[in-house]
Amino acid sequence: MVGEGAPGAGDDVEGVGVVTAARVDVGAVGPGRILALALPTLGVLIAEPIYLLFDLAVVGRLGALALAGLAVGGLVLAQASTQLTFLSYGTTARAARRHGAGDERGAVAEGVQATWLAVVVGALILLVVQVFAVPLTSAIAGGGEIADEALVWVRIALFGVPLILISMAGNGWLRGVQETRRPLLYVVAGLAVSGVLCPVLVHGLLGAPRMELPGSAVANLAGQVVTAALFLNALVRRRVSLAPHWAVMRAQLVLGRDLIVRSLAFQACFVSAAAVASRFGAASVAAHQLVLQLWTFLALALDSLAIAAQTLVGAALGAGDARGARGLARRVTQWSEMFALVLAVCFAAGGSVIPQLFTDDPAVLDRTHVAWWFFVCLIPVAGIVFALDGVLLGAGDAAYLRNTTMGAALIGFLPAIWLSLAFDWGIAGIWSGLVGFMALRLVAVVARALSGRWARVGAEIPRTLT
């Protein structure tokens, strides 16, 4: 049923193709349809990492201290803004099921309630982290000049947290109703603003004051304002009720609970890794951040197929087609692994050239080359893990992902991280921990996918999965 003010099936809204209100025929979903969802999603997912690499290159010209400050500050912002991943992934799963069942109005309503959660929780996070910014940066950086450099950046960048969460909610509901091109336009518009301002403010170009590292934070914030405003406008234009409804938000929080715990497991690992790298000096933390940023870039690139699977699997289960959902899971995993193998070959070939695009510091480059081959070997593993993560998230199987991610962190990642500090293994020890973490997750998601227990049908995510 098409909601009031929503476009009819097959209509085109603001030049963006929209799929609405029709039950999904998964048997008819071929490579073209999956790629039509995946390619714009790929653009959204890699746009910000590309900008962050650009930001890294701009700040890197200020020297190792500024680069280390950006690494620590960026980590604090990431922990403050990425814990509510259910605002995107959880909202996609819930909206996709309603879309698949023909309830377009209900699918958009999921976005409204997710946006309310983004505003309220984002404001709370901003307040709390501002209060504790000094001990947080000191704990991660170990005090000293790196902590001082990071603190100034963090104070400014934290004002972007509510804006980031609003954009996450917007991405979630739009993916759920299978609109993926419009989020790409919104994200690129914001990053274009940041991309122009970053070198201007950091290095004082075109008559602007030379702000150095704080200029990076100001540029980021300006772009986030633009993107959040565009997502809010898209929601208002659908002409559904904008009133908050606790019942819907509570249901989102049930799914969100498991995704938040899962996200905290990830963040505990990466905070620990950054803290340990900081103890090895500015060059080590800068090198770790450089390779980790490339890893994030690759992870999000692979996630484009996973999110297409999440959207289609959720819609298929909402339409009652469990068999079709399992077929989609197999196809997307195969394609993701082929894509990952190509990427691994490319980064292996560029191992001596790519790091030099971001820094010319000899000490940073030396430590980067140590981590590089761990990074390359992990890419094919990620091809399978991230694809199946998307499938299970689309099914709402968040509790299983929560438990297995926590187990992989406690058994595979954290012991290697802290042993590397105790025995002075350096950056090689840190990346060995990531290898163990990913290997355990691979076993867990493959076993779950083969079991088929995740494929529960219905417009609502079954409670047994959450």
Side-chain angles (χ1 to χ4, degrees), residues 91-111:
T91 303
T92 296
R94 289 180 57 83
R97 282 195 180 241
R98 292 191 178 277
H99 176 75
D103 182 11
E104 189 74 6
R105 194 173 181 81
V108 178
E110 296 287 345

Side-chain angles (χ1 to χ4, degrees), residues 12 26 72 170 194 204 245 295 307 344 380:
D12 191 78
V26 180
V72 173
S194 297
H245 292 288
W295 169 253
I307 289 174

Side-chain angles (χ1 to χ4, degrees), residues 243-258:
H245 292 288
W246 172 242
V248 179
M249 285 190 277
R250 182 173 56 193
Q252 290 179 344
L253 287 169
V254 170
L255 179 59
R257 172 195 62 201
D258 296 323

